[in-house]
Amino acid sequence: MLNLSLLNPQQRQAVETTRGPVLILAGAGTGKTRVITYRIAHMIEHGIPPGNILGVTFTNKAAREMQERVAKLIPKKARSAKPEAPEEDREIRPTICTFHSLCVRILRHHIEKLGYKRNFVIYDESDQIGAVKKIMAQISARGEKTDPAAILSLLSRFRNGGERAAAFADESVRAMAQHIRSRYESALRACNAVDFDDLILLTLRLFTEHPAALETCRARYRYVMVDEYQDTNATQFNLVHALTREHRNLCVVGDDDQSIYGWRGADISNLLDMEKHYPEVKVIKLEQNYRSTNTILQAANAIIKHNVRRRGKKLWSQKGDGPKITLCAFRDDEDEARSIVDQIEYVRLARRIPWAGQAILFRTNIQSRALETALRQSGVRYHLIGGQSFFDRREIRDFLAYLKTFLNPNDDVSLLRIANVPARGLSDVTMERLLGASHERKCSVYSAMQNPAVGAMFQSKARESIEKFVALVEHTRSQLHVESPARDPRALQAWAGRFIDRIGYFEELRRSEKSAEAVESRIQNLKELMASINGANPVPGLLFSRLQTFLEEIVLDTEREEEYEEPGEAVTLITMHSCKGLEFPHVYIVGMEDGLLPHSRSRAEGTLDEERRLFYVAITRAKETLTIGHCASRRKYGQLAPRHPSPFLKDLPPELVEHADEKSKLPVPPGSTKNMFAAIRDSLG
């Protein structure tokens, strides 16, 4: 028997309302997952067959968590069903899965109606690229070079968003994608394969062309629950609506105030306009927060109320007021990073707050560079969520691989990474043959490239490509063996910029990325790294030697980071877009500046409300303390540019905020933290 006394009145109402359309407005930290799992268990307890219950969410992780929590609540006989049991015996378990998993289940039963065999395979990205390469090899003119990954990304956009979605793509890539689209679709069909895009699109086509299949699915899934409903896009909405518009037993759970994925197709109107499609919907608000102090919640409420188009709700807590929010002004992004890291170490040593209890939130991936550098230099272990480490991003690894190759051409790992980046005729087959030749001769791949006997093994075109690559390496190495005068501190940066332009690397990024925003992000990342290549105090000497020092510092920082690998004990470094659903005792929000949050594009694109929701999501991650920082200037391409505080900060109620000036924002003066930490360690024995 379920113990519903563990629920507050609104949660209990949501659990017990099992028929007809229901909208559960679940504010941040209000126990949403508990409500969903209790609701499923309550339905089963009151006689609804588990096999008729469908729960849909966005990630496999969320689906697994719900499955495990439901399993602990429902009767033992339901938990005893094994995955390998016949399907009719497995009907005692509810279906809890992602949208794509649901579509796979449906298509396994009905895809034959669309001309596929039931044992279709799902192509991953490498399979798709292989199919594109095969088609291009058949139709491309001799010497024509077009990146298959760029073609594939365009194909995806054509099939999901049509011509308009691909408006900013390179003309040659767009023409090629249009040209091979039908061939690509035919090639997959000939292999009885579907790709990820096909799963929902084919299911919707099935429902349109074969109403009997839709009726079968409706009869099976008579009670449908959708989590994170504010994140659904048009096709997901159409899928849910098709399944539920007859029996009307649809329960959606979401929070319009946490709708932050409009840029990838999420449509907030699916939640806001629920009454248009289900006029009889019952709306239940969950407003009691179990995560944060009232100071944090009052700040969040004050921020989000400025969004006009929203469903009103007001979070509150029984956890007390807690400390005020600390607002810090920093000189620049490096000062910001050092100060935040000093504060993290201070509270760890003085107040015994572990690294794992602290998180740094930021708006864009490029902000992680200064933060990661400061954390590494202080020996603070961290893990980055919601994006690769700055030093693990493709463009950064490519550039560093080039530098390592120029310092040591016999570094096979680095050379193999960049030999055909950008494409220069050194195909995978050519590089495999060179690798084999190097194994036979017990030499490096570069030595094999320079060996005339090895070159004779190749056709003239491949041999010419090998010779040109060797010439590029040798010419660049000679450029680096020149003196760098003290009066030219940016000599290394200037050389790096010329080299990147010479090999056409930025054009390669433009060809291979799906969106103009992704291209700009990667280009900016690379320019940031090139700006830091000179070092803080460049000295005269060979560019080669200065480059060697730069790479050594990066390697040493990496080794220093590895020394602190205590499992689970690390500061979390996370983008605001990735932090939804997470919580941390102590949160630092950095970069609260106009142009970052709200982002510079938001006014032109009309997405200011979504930027405000992003700030709201960031605030509501904090459980106990919240620190917000902004800089007077921030580096862009190595140059300091003035910044202004985010206009969102004006909406914070003054009585909830305490300002930290330059002297008081840290417990100790900057520069004396090492002595302070040593004294604390001594006092702790």
Side-chain angles (χ1 to χ4, degrees), residues 637-684:
Y637 307 145
Q639 302 296 315
L640 280 174
R643 312 292 295 198
H644 301 285
S646 169
F648 294 158
L649 296 178
K650 296 177 183 176
D651 298 331
L652 289 170
E655 67 273 14
L656 302 180
V657 176
E658 59 181 5
H659 293 261
D661 60 27
E662 190 64 25
K663 292 181 179 179
S664 64
K665 72 184 177 190
L666 292 175
V668 292
S672 64
T673 52
K674 288 185 179 178
N675 295 333
M676 177 200 70
F677 294 154
I680 293 174
R681 289 190 186 100
D682 290 342
S683 69
L684 296 174

Side-chain angles (χ1 to χ4, degrees), residues 80-227:
S80 66
K82 297 180 180 178
E84 62 270 19
E87 186 170 341
E88 58 270 20
D89 294 334
R90 287 190 271 125
E91 291 297 306
I92 56 175
R93 294 182 304 157
T95 300
I96 303 174
C97 61
T98 64
F99 278 99
H100 287 101
S101 296
L102 170 65
C103 291
V104 170
R105 290 166 186 252
I106 293 171
L107 292 173
R108 287 289 178 208
H109 284 89
H110 301 286
I111 201 168
E112 289 171 318
K113 296 178 177 68
L114 300 177
Y116 292 80
K117 295 178 183 176
R118 191 174 291 189
N119 64 341
F120 65 88
V121 296
I122 302 171
Y123 269 13
D124 62 17
E125 187 176 7
S126 63
D127 296 324
Q128 293 173 268
I129 288 176
V132 170
K133 281 182 176 178
K134 189 174 181 180
I135 297 166
M136 289 172 61
Q138 295 168 351
I139 66 173
S140 296
R142 179 176 289 275
E144 185 178 359
K145 294 178 182 176
T146 311
D147 181 17
I151 296 293
L152 182 62
S153 70
L154 256 293
L155 278 173
S156 177
R157 279 183 279 174
F158 280 141
R159 299 167 78 213
N160 285 287
E163 300 283 336
R164 191 168 55 86
F168 296 102
D170 179 84
E171 178 62 37
S172 62
V173 176
R174 186 163 66 245
M176 178 66 80
Q178 289 172 317
H179 187 53
I180 73 169
R181 176 177 176 176
S182 62
R183 289 176 181 246
Y184 171 79
E185 292 172 348
S186 297
L188 263 64
R189 189 155 183 156
C191 298
N192 196 41
V194 301
D195 63 21
F196 214 60
D197 292 328
D198 286 325
L199 292 173
I200 294 182
L201 294 172
L202 283 175
T203 303
L204 290 173
R205 185 181 142 203
L206 172 77
F207 288 169
T208 301
E209 296 178 4
H210 301 275
L214 173 57
E215 288 306 319
T216 300
C217 292
R218 284 175 177 166
R220 167 78 186 271
Y221 303 121
R222 295 175 196 160
Y223 296 85
V224 177
M225 295 185 68
V226 183
D227 187 21

